Amino acid sequence: MPTYDFICNKCNQRFDAFHTFSEYGKKAVHCTHCQSDNVRRRMTKVRIAKSDSSRMESAADDFSGMDGIEDDPRALAKMMRKMGGEMGEELPSEFNDVVDRLEAGQSPEEIESAIPDLGLPDTSSGEE
């Protein structure tokens, strides 16, 4: 059953009302706080679910005209943050460290020399 958000014009409280699609607009809505029928519908943001490939395509389209981005660490950081956000999953702390360094103006070469084993598995324990 859909949830609709309302605001009471009398007491200014927000509340939710549950209505079927057939009830909406026909069934009276009363404030859950003061029982007034002087209410208005509150419009909320709409979210659209996207597949992983759709999110990545969308992010790639945003940066399709960024020739020479490798020469601009801040632009590269912006692209990486956007792509990381589009992935929809937790990224390793090293990712944020690299992006932070790019935002500070460090070049990819400087970052690579400062963190030489970045992204490589830890082989010190004998495991890969």
Side-chain angles (χ1 to χ4, degrees):
M1 202 175 342
T3 302
Y4 298 96
D5 295 328
F6 287 88
I7 296 176
C8 178
N9 291 324
K10 183 176 178 185
C11 69
N12 290 321
Q13 294 292 317
R14 291 182 182 176
F15 64 96
D16 296 333
F18 303 99
H19 291 263
T20 64
F21 288 114
S22 61
E23 290 175 330
Y24 181 75
K26 297 175 186 159
K27 185 177 177 183
V29 178
H30 293 88
C31 175
T32 57
H33 303 278
C34 72
Q35 304 308 313
S36 172
D37 64 352
N38 185 8
V39 299
R40 68 182 186 276
R41 173 103 186 266
R42 182 174 168 262
M43 293 296 136
T44 58
K45 292 182 181 179
V46 175
R47 294 182 183 207
I48 299 172
K50 292 183 177 182
S51 68
D52 290 342
S53 61
S54 177
R55 283 197 314 262
M56 295 307 282
E57 285 176 20
S58 175
D61 288 345
D62 290 344
F63 299 104
S64 60
M66 297 192 81
D67 292 334
I69 194 169
E70 64 276 355
D71 298 329
D72 184 353
R74 288 175 183 88
L76 184 58
K78 182 178 178 182
M79 182 205 61
M80 289 178 68
R81 284 237 190 260
K82 172 94 172 155
M83 296 289 276
E86 291 291 334
M87 291 182 70
E89 51 189 62
E90 189 68 30
L91 296 170
S93 60
E94 294 87 1
F95 177 83
N96 288 326
D97 186 31
V98 168
V99 176
D100 290 343
R101 288 171 179 259
L102 287 167
E103 288 174 336
Q106 271 190 322
S107 72
E109 292 78 18
E110 291 171 322
I111 296 169
E112 192 173 4
S113 65
I115 314 171
D117 58 346
L118 186 65
L120 298 175
D122 182 14
T123 56
S124 61
S125 65
E127 297 178 18
E128 286 189 48

